Amino acid sequence: MLFPGLSLPARAVARCRATVPAWLVPYLSGAGAVPSLVLDYAAGLYAVGGQQVAQPVTGARLGPRAVDGLGQGVIVDPARSNLVTQSVATAAGWSIIGSTQRAQLSENAHGLFPGLEVVSEGQNWHRAQPPSGNFAANVPYAVSVWYRAGSSGRMRCILYSGATNPVTSVALAGTAGAVTLNTSSGATISNVENLALGGGYHLLRFVMVLASAVSATAFGVGPDSTVSGQSVIVHAMQVEQAVALSGYIGTSGSVVARAADTAGLAGGGWLSAPEEGTLLLRARLRCAGEVPLARLSGAGDALDLYRTAGGKLRARFGGAPGLLLDSAASVPSHSDVAVALGWSGSGMSLCLSGGVVATAGGAVSSALNRLDFAVPGVGAGAGPALIRAVRFYPKRLSDAELQGLTA
C-alpha cells in the first residue's frame, strides 16, 4: 500500500494506479495523490488510511431522506422547531373548512404519512388544516407541505385571517409539482420551491413574512378546484420560524424541537496534524444565504468552510477576521456544489466546481486533526446542508488537480 498522499510524476501515475487497491483508484488525484480519507455516500464507501471501514462519522443522520427530497449523505440541520402541533394530516387531527374529508387513507408514504384525501365541495378555497396557530408580524416563517395529486391534479395552500385589518390572505396554487404564488395580501412570499420526491409525491416549500400578527389562523391545503368531488391528498405540514427550511420534524400534539446536528470524526490515522492538506467536499446546499459545511480544528486553531450570506464559498482560518479566502464565483441557492480547499504553511487555495482557483497567502496551522460537518458560530441563521462525499489528501494539490477533482 502506498503512503497516503504520495504524488507521482505523470509518467508514473499508471504504475500508481496499478499498485493501489482497485476500489481506491477512482479517488486518486490527477497526479496520483492517494486520499487518506474517503466518504462516498453514493457508492456506500468509507475508507480511512487506505482501509475500508464501517461508517466512521459519529453523530451523523444519514440519507436517503426521500421525505425531504435528499439523496445519500450526512444531513446537517440547524436547531429548529416545527410549530405545527399535528404535522401528519389525519381525519382525527386536522379540521375542514368548506370541504369534505373522505375515508382516511393508509398510504404510509415515506414510511411516515398515511395521507388525507381533501375533497372540494365547489370552491377552490375548500381545504383541511392542522390545529390553528399564531404568527407574529415581520418574522420569517419557512413552510413545507408534503402532498400527492388527487383527482384535481392541483393543490392550493391558503393562509387566511379575517381578524386582521386589512385581511391577511395568502394563497399558493397550481398544478401539482408546479405551484406558484396566486394571491398575497398582507404578506411577502419568497423562495418558493417545488420538489418532486418520486412516486407522484411532492414537496412545496416557501418562506412567508406577515405584515400583521395573526392568531387562530385558517392555514390549510385543498384541491384548488371549483368542481365538487375533486380532491388532493395531503400528507403533512411543517412551519419553522426561520429563513431557511430544514428537514422534517414530526409532531403529534405539541411543538417539537430538534437539536442542531453535530457530526464529525477525529483525525486518527487519516488526519494526524499534517503540515499541508486538501479537503474535497461534495454537498447539497439546501437553502439561500449562509450555509456551514465543514470545520477542521485542533490545538485551538480552526479552518472553516462555508457559504456566506452574500453567496460566496469562503475558507477562514483563525479568529475574526483571520485569513479569509472567497471563491471566485458565487454559489447558487439550493444547489449541488463540489469544492476543494488546499492549504499549507504558505497559504490556501480554493476551487469551486472546476472554476477559477482562488488563492490567499498566509500560513495555516499544521495542528488540525479533527473534521466536523458544521461551522459553530458562523451565524444563528445558518441553513442546512447535505454532505454527499468527502476526500482528504495529506498534501496541498496543484491548481489543475483542484479543478479536475471539482469539475
Side-chain angles (χ1 to χ4, degrees):
M1 176 66 197
L2 293 178
F3 185 81
L6 178 63
S7 182
L8 303 177
R11 64 181 183 276
V13 170
R15 181 183 301 174
C16 173
R17 295 180 184 277
T19 303
V20 301
W23 58 265
L24 188 55
V25 169
Y27 303 100
L28 301 181
S29 75
V34 182
S36 57
L37 173 69
V38 176
L39 304 180
D40 186 338
Y41 292 96
L45 175 66
Y46 318 120
V48 175
Q51 302 297 318
Q52 290 179 302
V53 298
Q55 164 61 249
V57 179
T58 59
R61 288 192 300 135
L62 301 180
R65 287 290 300 275
V67 68
D68 293 328
L70 304 179
Q72 296 278 2
V74 175
I75 299 168
V76 183
D77 273 328
R80 288 294 169 76
S81 296
N82 187 356
L83 305 182
V84 177
T85 58
Q86 184 65 49
S87 61
V88 177
T90 64
W94 285 36
S95 60
I96 59 174
I97 299 178
S99 60
T100 301
Q101 293 174 164
R102 292 183 176 175
Q104 176 73 59
L105 304 181
S106 56
E107 293 184 345
N108 195 34
H110 310 304
L112 294 170
F113 308 139
L116 177 64
E117 188 175 30
V118 184
V119 183
S120 171
E121 287 186 332
Q123 296 291 335
N124 63 3
W125 51 265
H126 289 173
R127 59 194 182 274
Q129 65 174 29
S132 297
N134 301 323
F135 294 93
N138 303 312
V139 171
Y141 292 95
V143 181
S144 302
V145 181
W146 289 263
Y147 70 100
R148 180 172 65 83
S151 60
S152 74
R154 301 178 62 83
M155 79 89 78
R156 177 174 286 247
C157 181
I158 309 173
L159 181 147
Y160 180 85
S161 174
T164 56
N165 187 14
V167 169
T168 299
S169 179
V170 179
L172 290 90
T175 302
V179 175
T180 59
L181 179 62
N182 182 264
T183 60
S184 178
S185 175
T188 300
I189 304 298
S190 61
N191 296 341
V192 179
E193 291 182 88
N194 288 272
L195 302 179
L197 304 182
Y201 298 106
H202 302 280
L203 173 55
L204 170 67
R205 310 189 105 171
F206 60 94
V207 176
M208 66 179 185
V209 179
L210 305 181
S212 301
V214 172
S215 60
T217 34
F219 192 17
V221 182
D224 190 41
S225 176
T226 58
V227 178
S228 295
Q230 289 197 338
S231 64
V232 69
I233 314 301
V234 185
H235 288 128
M237 179 182 286
Q238 178 159 309
V239 177
E240 310 165 62
Q241 188 171 312
V243 296
L245 300 131
S246 69
Y248 175 67
I249 304 170
T251 66
S252 181
S254 62
V255 172
V256 171
R258 180 188 58 215
D261 287 309
T262 54
L265 65 163
W270 67 272
L271 179 58
S272 299
E275 295 182 359
E276 56 184 341
T278 297
L279 181 69
L280 170 69
L281 199 68
R282 295 186 181 275
R284 173 72 177 178
L285 306 185
R286 296 163 50 203
C287 67
E290 195 170 70
V291 182
L293 290 174
R295 163 170 282 187
L296 287 155
S297 61
D301 291 325
L303 176 57
D304 293 331
L305 183 64
Y306 58 100
R307 184 178 65 184
T308 68
K312 296 283 190 177
L313 248 296
R314 171 171 291 175
R316 179 185 64 191
F317 177 71
L323 177 61
L324 298 179
L325 175 60
D326 286 351
S327 60
S330 296
V331 182
S333 301
H334 309 92
S335 63
D336 287 300
V337 299
V339 57
L341 171 64
W343 67 92
S344 66
S346 61
M348 298 189 294
S349 300
L350 182 65
C351 184
L352 172 65
S353 301
V356 175
V357 177
T359 60
V364 176
S365 170
S366 61
L368 305 176
N369 59 12
R370 180 176 176 83
L371 172 65
D372 290 289
F373 298 126
V375 186
V378 164
L386 177 77
I387 309 300
R388 298 191 186 278
V390 180
R391 272 182 258 170
F392 175 76
Y393 301 85
K395 65 171 296 177
R396 183 175 175 179
L397 299 182
S398 68
D399 288 0
E401 288 180 284
L402 299 184
Q403 290 172 319
L405 289 172
T406 60

